[in-house]
Amino acid sequence: MRGKYLAPRDLSTYHAQCRRECVEEIAQNSSSDESPVVDGEPQRPPATGARRVGWLVLGLVLVGIGIIGLFVPLLPTTDFMLLALPCFARSSPRLERWLVEHPVFGPPIRAWRKNRAIPRHAKMAAALGFALFWWLAHPRAWVVMVVGGLLLSCALWIVRRPSGETR
């Protein structure tokens, strides 16, 4: 029976050995250049299998909505592109790099990543959208007050962000 089960002393030795091996493996993996580096910080490696496909599909859907936002007034484009970035980081670093380096979508994304900045034209578009709500919406008074309060909070947050790169 002793060969089949570990004694408590042997078990603690076994756990210590496993911990050492895990620490060594983590140290070896973290020193490799396989995981992407964003702004000087190593990122987790992409997911595998079904999770990778799920992140990829979600990223592509968000990019699709963002592209539709180019043609539909008041549907934000950059917001959806920013939401697609972590999806691509977990599924396809190549698509993440494409999005960051894109001539149209890239500058606001890089400004957000670097300084958490919102370009001045985007701030004005957001303010216009908020103003249109106040002017066009005619629901019950409590709905206008709740949504208006949320919009005012968002507007204050947006205005306080630094202005970054423009188009």
Side-chain angles (χ1 to χ4, degrees):
M1 283 290 232
R2 180 153 166 90
K4 199 170 191 178
Y5 299 101
L6 293 173
R9 184 189 67 213
D10 297 334
L11 190 59
S12 64
T13 305
Y14 174 75
H15 284 288
Q17 176 66 27
C18 287
R19 268 185 262 146
R20 277 193 299 274
E21 289 173 4
C22 288
V23 168
E24 289 171 7
E25 183 179 338
I26 290 170
Q28 289 173 354
N29 288 342
S30 65
S31 65
S32 71
D33 290 334
E34 292 177 11
S35 61
V37 175
V38 176
D39 296 332
E41 296 181 19
Q43 302 295 307
R44 78 171 90 177
T48 57
R51 284 189 172 165
R52 180 176 187 263
V53 172
W55 284 116
L56 182 64
V57 167
L58 180 59
L60 291 172
V61 166
L62 290 168
V63 166
I65 294 170
I67 291 172
I68 291 170
L70 288 171
F71 306 104
V72 176
L74 302 178
L75 182 64
T77 298
T78 305
D79 296 354
F80 288 105
M81 299 302 174
L82 285 171
L83 290 172
L85 276 178
C87 298
F88 289 150
R90 289 174 176 83
S91 64
S92 174
R94 183 176 58 90
L95 284 174
E96 179 188 21
R97 189 173 40 257
W98 169 80
L99 197 55
V100 170
E101 295 172 359
H102 193 276
V104 175
F105 308 130
I109 290 172
R110 288 190 301 270
W112 178 257
R113 272 191 166 177
K114 185 177 178 185
N115 301 323
R116 297 292 191 243
I118 300 173
R120 187 167 283 118
H121 71 274
K123 290 180 181 185
M124 289 190 287
L128 175 67
F130 297 158
L132 283 175
F133 167 78
W134 280 102
W135 188 53
L136 297 175
H138 299 290
R140 294 187 174 148
W142 70 271
V143 174
V144 171
M145 298 307 265
V146 170
V147 175
L150 290 171
L151 290 178
L152 182 61
S153 300
C154 291
L156 290 173
W157 184 83
I158 288 171
V159 168
R160 294 181 57 209
R161 297 286 98 204
S163 294
E165 299 176 38
T166 57
R167 295 184 207 186

